[in-house]
Each structure stands twice: as structure tokens, then as C-alpha cells.
Amino acid sequence: MELKRDLEIGVQIYVNKGDTPEELRGWVRKAHHAGLRIVRVFLFWDIINPRKDVWDFTVYDAIFDEVEKCGMKIVGTMWAVNPPGWMNLTDYFANFGDLNDPEYWSIALDYVEKVAGHFADHPALDSWVSWKEATRPLVKNPNSLRDFRKWLKDHYKEIENLNKVWFNQSESFETVGLKPGNAIQNHKHLPNSLDWERFMVDNLCEKLRDIYNTIRKKDKVHPIYVNPHNTGLNMLSWGQDPWKDAKEADFLGLSNHIPHNAMRIIQSPYKFHQYIAYQCDIIKSATPDPNGFYEVTEMHAGPTIMTGHLTLTPSAADIQHYTWEAIGSGASRVIYWVLNWRKSGHEPYEWSLSGADGTSTYRLDELTKITDIIKKHQALFDAAKPKDPDVYILYSTLSWQLAEWEGGTVGFVRNPPDDPNSPRNTMYAPDGMCGAYQMLSDLGLTVKFISEEKIINGELPSNAVLVAPSCMGAEEKLYGALDGFVKNGGTLIADFMFAMKNKYGFIPDPPKSKDVLDRIFGGVLYDIISDPNTFELNDGKYMPEGWFLRISFKPGSGEVLARDAEGAPVILRNSYGKGTAIRIGTTFFQRYMTKPLKKNLNYLHDLLPQKLFTGIHLSNPDGELRLREMISADKRILILLNSSEKAAKAVLDFDGTKGKLISLSSDETHESDGISAVLVSLNAGEVKQFVL
């Protein structure tokens, strides 16, 4: 299915139980008046099917018809995983039914088929969300255990293969059980826990596939997608893996809520805007659409009072930054959560773009300003794509799994298990990936994430730069893929205990895996020192700070770049074939997320190929001052973002490119002679957009 990019800003209209058709039509008109072009709604099972065998589409028909009348489009979100009140299976309309119960799931898919059939041919329909923020806690019960045993049989084939890996031994797959954990006993045998979590992910994807295929019975035309959430956090234990979700959708959306998502960002709040970009770039990287089509399905729009991990109301500047960060990342649509107040549940009075009695707020007014810019230059934005990545970051799902089960072990650590200030917390792998993104972003570089599977399948360009942060785990085939990547001209930079455990949390066997790493990095692992204190690494210039681990090597062909206080080599650089590999023997990237040291940033700058800092670029990026670049036919869109509370002056280096920089929202212009830097002034919190 080929998807066409039409840059659009939209909003969720929340359908409260008891809302009248005319009330909902009024909200549609309000969205249209604000310049918004997309409306998203939850197709609540409990409203559409209020009693057994009773179906009532009245309020939704009103919304769809008014959306068509206004010349807008609508996204319908299925609600199959949350049963209606008449079934008496849960105590809240957003709680989960037992999706592994065949009887319940059959009824749920009947609901999907009925809804898809009702709206499939409606002119206002744009697309379907198969499952809002597809996650769930999978309870261990007879239904899930039955399906888990089947999953084990599909993966291990013979019971003897399972018994070789698991501690608990079984006569057959039908007798496999799961032992309850005991908080008094600190030790874990990882394979059974990891297998259960992998089953949770695959089982959720199976349900996504069921919903997708059921919609397709009635609708062969409109795209179907899912919107992962908390993408910077480890959600595997809730069944979420964006890379696998992508296989069950035509494209990916994203819920991007700072109050929910950014509670691990403990530096200054300017990082919140960067975190919006971080989550956008994750989904941009994982979306299955060949042209990179993705959207932000939910963006933080209003106050959090009793919900969210942070109490936060976006300012006018926040709305500008949220939206332009998403657009600069390549989002085809940005949909805000939410236009109107919820009247019940957990969020009354919260999250809304509107005030009391539907009055407009500065937040909605700010969105209207953005839509005015887009409309004025619609063709330019519709044709735009983000620039190619400067650097790839390895998204190691296996390492995320190991972090969750090994990190923050109760009984062994003093800090809370997920405390970002603890280097071995349950999210050390996501934290490392976030820290790497922040460093590269603070250096002004464009990032794309890549999974192990894509590297193994040869989708990493041979001349790329790959950063592997906090990636302790590795699939067996990854070693050979990395060997070929570096040998053929790639650059690999890895920190921490890179690729030192397999998918079961064991030291890789056969030893050839270790031999590949030694050959790539030009040195042999000598010792690992865990250190409760930070320490300096002597590189003769920056003296970067190390954290948690001092991993020393016996260098072979590798050049020693830095040593610890005892003189042991801890950072190696090796020329291997046509490429280069650098191994940093400490927790380098994860540390930056908790303490963004300038000397560590400067050190990384010098490690990277300097060709990355050519072309049109911002000469003075610092995290608070950022540049997003997009390519639109023969033009370039430059989006400058100043998150600082102070005015800033962006120094743009055009590196030989001549032309005129024209503002998309004012009469401001700048000339580039290709030699001299162009200076652009930005007020505190300001965003500017230019075309070159």
C-alpha cells in the first residue's frame, strides 16, 4: 500500500458517554475552524454496542458526517481489547479482556468486523488504528499458559531442546509450567523469564494481526496502523516492540506525551523537546512504510493534574517545539491529544486544547498559527523528507530484555530498580540508547535507529557510522554481520559490555563470537572492574569521565586511545579492512543521559568521522539550539529551534552552498555566499522555518 505524504495537523475528539450528536458536531466544527484537518476518535465498543445484540452508531455517524461536511478526514481507533459493560468482564471501559480466551476474542473480532463494515465506505474515513497504544499486562492463567506452550513448541520444536536451556525440566511441552517468583530468593534463571516475555510480544502481535485481517475483510483500501507509546522506556513486559508491531501494520503512529514518557530525563527541561524528537526518530526508523510514512497519533496538548508522571501544561513555545520537532523528523501528521474535556475516568479537565465551555486557549491558537504556515507552503511540505541520517544507533531489543531481567535486582541494589542514577537499573539499555541520541543530537547530527534484524539482513549501508550503546546482548548472526560491515568500510563505536551475552543471558558459545569481536576491535578483553565512583580516562586531552565499569583490553592491532589511572587500556581504535572500530570500555553513553558532560561530548566529536560535520550544518549546536533539515525537491527546509530561556544566535555554515534563506512565516531573509557563516537570531523558546 503506497502512502502519500500530506502534512496535516489534527486532534482527538473524545466521545464521552452521553454526548449528543450535536455536541460532537460542534467539536468537529471547532477543530475545522482552528485549521485542523484530521480528527481521531475512539470507537468505543461500550457506546456502539451498549447491550448484547444492540448496535447504535448514532453519535459516530454524526461525527463522520460532520467531518465530511468540513472537508476533513477521520481516523477510527478500534476498541476490541476492552469489553463493554454488559459483558461484566472488567470494572472499567479501558480495562482488558482476556484476549487468549477464544470465546471472548471471537466476540471482540465480531465487533471489529461490524464497525469496519459500517464505516469502510464512508468518504470521511482516512485510516484505522487497530489498537490504541497496543500494550497489556499478560496474566498467567490457563489460557495464556496453553498458548505459551504452543509458542515454546513452535520455537524449540523438540522438548529436549527446551530442557537444554531451561533449569526446569519437562516431559513434554504440554507439561511445561511457570514457577512463581520468590522475592526472598535473589537469583534468577533467565531463559524461562526471557521466553515468557518474548511470548508476550509475539502473542500481542498475533492479536494485532487478527484485528488487521478482520478489518481487511470489510475494507481493502484504508491503511491500518498502531501507535506505540513510551517508546523510550522498556515496554517489552507489556508486549510492546515497535519493530515487531511494524510487521502487523501499514505504517506506525506514536503517542508522544512528555508527562508520561520523559520522567527519566532529569537534566534541564530543554531536553523535553529533544525527547519529543527522540521518540519521533525511533518510530520514523521502525515504520514499515518504504517511504518512511509515520505520524504522531497523540501529542501532549494540555494540563496534567492527577495523571501523568509529571505535572505539566505545554506553553505556547512547547506547542511550537513539539510540532516542528515532529515535522522535522518527517512525521506526515501530528495529532494532538485532546480537543475537549473528558467527563469521567482518570482525566477530567486534563490534556485539553480547549478551556471551559469549549473556549479556545493559547495552545489551540498556537496550533492555528502552525497550520497557517503549512497551508501557505503546503506543496513544499508535502514533498519534503528528512535528510539522510548521519549516524545509525543500534536498537538492541535483546539488550533491553536483559536489562529488565538483570538490572535493578531486588536484594542487590540500594537504589530503586529503575533509578536512572543507578548504572545497572532495569532500563540501563534504553538509557544508554537515549544518552547516545542526546550526544549525537547535541553535536548537530541526524540519527536513525536500526534493529539487529535489519543489520543481519544487510540493511545497514556499508559506509555508515553505527553507534552501539549499552548493547550487552547480541544474536549469534550479528557478529558476522558486524564483521562484514566494518571490513567493507563501516565505522562501529561501541561502549559497555558490548555483545558479551547471548539471547539467554549466557556467555556466547561457541567462542568464535568472542574471536570476531577481538578481531574487529583489535584487542582482547583482559579484565572488568566495577567501580562505585566516577573516574577519569586519560586520553591526553579531554580526560573524559567513566562510570560504573572499567573494562581493560590487551591490545593487538588496535591503537590505545585512553587508559585508566592504573594505565590499563580502556579505549581502543582499530583499522579493520576498509573500516574502523572503536571500543569504549566504560558506561559512556548511558552516563550522558544523567550527566551531560561537555568534555565527554567533545571526546565523542573527535572519535566520529569528521566528514559528518560538513555540508549545511549548525556550527554551534548545544542541545538547546537545534537544526532540523528536510529536502523538498530541489529546495531545503531548515527548522531552527531554540529551547533555551534566553535568546540565541544560530551560526549556520553552508559549506560552499550559495543561496537565499527565506523565512516561511515572516519577511526575514539571509544570503549565503557559501563561505561566510549566516547568523540567525532567535528569541527565547522561538522556532523559525526557512527555505533555501
Side-chain angles (χ1 to χ4, degrees):
M1 178 175 292
E2 186 172 346
L3 300 173
K4 182 178 179 294
R5 174 185 168 87
D6 293 308
L7 181 58
E8 298 167 321
I9 308 298
V11 70
Q12 173 93 22
I13 292 178
Y14 193 88
V15 181
N16 293 284
K17 203 166 185 178
D19 283 349
T20 67
E22 191 50 44
E23 281 181 286
L24 295 166
R25 286 179 181 274
W27 286 116
V28 173
R29 290 191 292 269
K30 185 173 182 63
H32 179 251
H33 180 73
L36 307 177
R37 295 171 56 188
I38 289 283
V39 167
R40 177 177 177 242
V41 293
F42 292 158
L43 299 165
F44 288 129
W45 189 353
D46 190 57
I47 292 177
I48 291 173
N49 181 203
R51 295 182 303 281
K52 186 176 182 180
D53 298 326
V54 175
W55 297 87
D56 185 357
F57 290 92
T58 303
V59 294
Y60 289 104
D61 286 340
I63 298 172
F64 272 71
D65 291 346
E66 192 67 28
V67 167
E68 180 191 5
K69 183 178 177 181
C70 291
M72 304 164 73
K73 287 291 185 179
I74 195 164
V75 175
T77 300
M78 290 293 185
W79 212 254
V81 301
N82 311 109
W86 62 263
M87 293 185 76
N88 289 309
L89 295 176
T90 69
D91 58 2
Y92 186 56
F93 75 95
N95 288 346
F96 297 99
D98 184 354
L99 311 192
N100 294 86
D101 177 355
E103 182 179 358
Y104 169 75
W105 195 233
S106 175
I107 297 171
L109 294 179
D110 285 344
Y111 149 83
V112 172
E113 187 169 355
K114 179 80 85 172
V115 172
H118 186 83
F119 289 116
D121 296 327
H122 198 289
L125 181 63
D126 176 89
S127 53
W128 302 98
V129 177
S130 54
W131 176 348
K132 166 188 159 59
E133 298 174 347
T135 47
R136 60 159 176 168
L138 184 54
V139 177
K140 295 174 182 175
N141 64 21
N143 289 322
S144 60
L145 184 57
R146 176 198 64 239
D147 292 347
F148 180 49
R149 288 167 173 164
K150 180 179 182 300
W151 182 92
L152 289 172
K153 187 171 184 179
D154 289 343
H155 281 71
Y156 286 95
K157 308 302 181 187
E158 303 293 337
I159 193 65
E160 291 77 13
N161 297 329
L162 178 69
N163 287 334
K164 289 177 184 177
V165 177
W166 279 34
F167 171 75
N168 302 106
Q169 303 294 288
S170 302
E171 294 295 325
S172 69
F173 288 106
E174 287 69 30
T175 62
V176 171
L178 289 170
K179 307 302 179 187
N182 188 332
I184 299 174
Q185 301 181 37
N186 294 310
H187 297 281
K188 299 173 182 174
H189 188 65
L190 290 178
N192 54 351
S193 298
L194 292 169
D195 277 341
W196 172 255
E197 186 169 272
R198 289 163 188 156
F199 160 69
M200 291 173 69
V201 172
D202 287 350
N203 187 250
L204 185 144
C205 288
E206 178 185 312
K207 304 309 174 187
L208 286 174
R209 193 176 315 126
D210 288 344
I211 296 171
Y212 185 101
N213 291 336
T214 302
I215 294 172
R216 282 285 172 255
K217 290 180 181 179
K218 298 294 183 178
D219 185 348
K220 311 277 186 200
V221 177
H222 297 98
I224 304 169
Y225 67 105
V226 65
N227 59 314
H229 67 130
N230 286 324
T231 50
L233 307 179
N234 197 335
M235 298 294 289
L236 291 162
S237 62
W238 282 66
Q240 178 177 283
D241 179 347
W243 304 94
K244 287 199 169 185
D245 289 350
K247 297 179 181 180
E248 314 304 334
D250 297 314
F251 68 93
L252 287 183
L254 165 68
S255 285
N256 207 340
H257 296 307
I258 288 297
H260 285 319
N261 304 156
M263 60 274 201
R264 303 186 69 73
I265 303 303
I266 55 180
Q267 316 103 319
S268 81
Y270 78 82
K271 288 289 185 183
F272 288 167
H273 298 157
Q274 190 182 64
Y275 202 76
I276 289 285
Y278 170 56
Q279 296 196 105
C280 285
D281 284 346
I282 290 174
I283 296 302
K284 173 185 72 176
S285 305
T287 188
D289 180 69
N291 296 316
F293 188 103
Y294 89 95
E295 72 167 29
V296 177
T297 315
E298 294 184 20
M299 186 76 90
H300 174 215
T304 51
I305 303 170
M306 295 298 174
T307 60
H309 297 280
L310 297 170
T311 297
L312 184 66
T313 303
S315 65
D318 287 334
I319 295 294
Q320 289 283 340
H321 280 266
Y322 291 176
T323 310
W324 289 110
E325 287 283 14
I327 293 172
S329 170
S332 295
R333 302 191 298 219
V334 182
I335 302 174
Y336 272 80
W337 172 270
V338 57
L339 180 62
N340 55 321
W341 281 349
R342 289 178 60 169
K343 298 176 182 177
S344 64
H346 292 294
E347 299 179 357
Y349 303 107
E350 301 195 35
W351 297 90
S352 174
L353 284 168
S354 301
D357 300 323
T359 55
S360 186
T361 66
Y362 67 86
R363 301 182 297 281
L364 186 56
D365 293 343
E366 212 64 30
L367 272 185
T368 299
K369 294 177 186 177
I370 295 171
T371 61
D372 287 344
I373 295 172
I374 294 171
K375 287 176 188 175
K376 187 177 179 181
H377 307 281
Q378 192 72 54
L380 177 73
F381 283 111
D382 288 351
K385 292 185 177 181
K387 63 169 286 191
D388 291 337
D390 298 308
V391 181
Y392 288 80
I393 294 179
L394 174 57
Y395 185 124
S396 172
T397 301
L398 174 53
S399 298
W400 286 41
Q401 290 170 329
L402 292 174
E404 183 163 25
W405 290 100
E406 292 185 317
T409 308
V410 176
F412 287 115
V413 296
R414 296 178 181 176
N415 305 70
D418 61 352
D419 182 0
N421 287 300
S422 170
R424 56 180 186 169
N425 72 77
T426 54
M427 294 194 191
Y428 71 74
D431 287 353
M433 194 174 88
C434 181
Y437 181 88
Q438 289 178 337
M439 294 188 88
L440 295 165
S441 178
D442 287 357
L443 290 171
L445 299 175
T446 301
V447 168
K448 185 173 183 178
F449 297 90
I450 188 166
S451 66
E452 285 193 12
E453 181 181 15
K454 287 181 178 292
I455 293 176
I456 291 168
N457 290 340
E459 297 181 40
L460 181 64
S462 60
N463 62 345
V465 177
L466 175 66
V467 170
S470 298
C471 297
M472 186 189 291
E475 297 286 349
E476 185 175 341
K477 292 181 180 179
L478 183 66
Y479 298 97
L482 291 176
D483 182 87
F485 165 67
V486 178
K487 192 181 294 182
N488 290 323
T491 298
L492 171 64
I493 301 176
D495 77 336
F496 192 58
M497 298 174 63
F498 176 65
M500 291 176 64
K501 292 187 178 181
N502 67 13
K503 65 180 181 179
Y504 300 115
F506 302 162
I507 294 176
D509 185 32
K512 67 179 181 181
S513 301
K514 175 183 175 299
D515 295 341
V516 172
L517 292 183
D518 295 344
R519 186 166 63 246
I520 293 173
F521 291 109
V524 178
L525 175 70
Y526 175 67
D527 198 9
I528 303 174
I529 306 294
S530 56
D531 195 328
N533 303 306
T534 58
F535 44 88
E536 285 190 335
L537 301 175
N538 187 359
D539 70 322
K541 184 178 181 182
Y542 295 114
M543 306 298 284
E545 182 176 280
W547 193 41
F548 180 36
L549 297 179
R550 286 184 285 132
I551 304 173
S552 57
F553 307 98
K554 289 183 177 179
S557 59
E559 171 193 5
V560 177
L561 297 183
R563 300 176 183 270
D564 65 12
E566 283 73 45
V570 290
I571 301 180
L572 297 181
R573 178 170 58 200
N574 188 42
S575 295
Y576 182 61
K578 298 177 182 178
T580 302
I582 298 171
R583 194 167 189 180
I584 303 173
T586 191
T587 312
F588 184 73
F589 295 108
Q590 184 189 353
R591 181 55 170 164
Y592 194 81
M593 198 196 84
T594 60
K595 190 176 181 182
L597 293 171
K598 188 70 173 179
K599 63 179 182 178
N600 284 30
L601 188 65
N602 291 336
Y603 185 70
L604 178 62
H605 176 280
D606 287 5
L607 287 183
L608 291 164
Q610 295 307 291
K611 66 181 180 181
L612 298 179
F613 303 100
T614 58
I616 297 175
H617 64 280
L618 189 62
S619 296
N620 60 331
D622 61 5
E624 294 184 343
L625 186 62
R626 294 161 45 72
L627 170 67
R628 283 288 205 175
E629 182 181 349
M630 306 184 77
I631 311 299
S632 182
D634 59 344
K635 296 181 174 64
R636 299 190 188 203
I637 300 172
L638 304 183
I639 303 171
L640 287 167
L641 307 105
N642 177 27
S643 292
S644 173
E645 296 178 353
K646 299 178 181 178
K649 198 172 288 293
V651 182
L652 288 169
D653 188 338
F654 284 81
D655 198 21
T657 300
K658 298 179 182 180
K660 191 171 187 177
L661 205 59
I662 303 171
S663 171
L664 297 180
S665 58
S666 72
D667 57 1
E668 182 178 356
T669 61
H670 300 272
E671 291 283 351
S672 167
D673 61 8
I675 301 173
S676 305
V678 172
L679 305 182
V680 180
S681 297
L682 294 99
N683 295 324
E686 188 175 16
V687 180
K688 288 186 175 181
Q689 313 83 16
F690 296 91
V691 62
L692 177 66

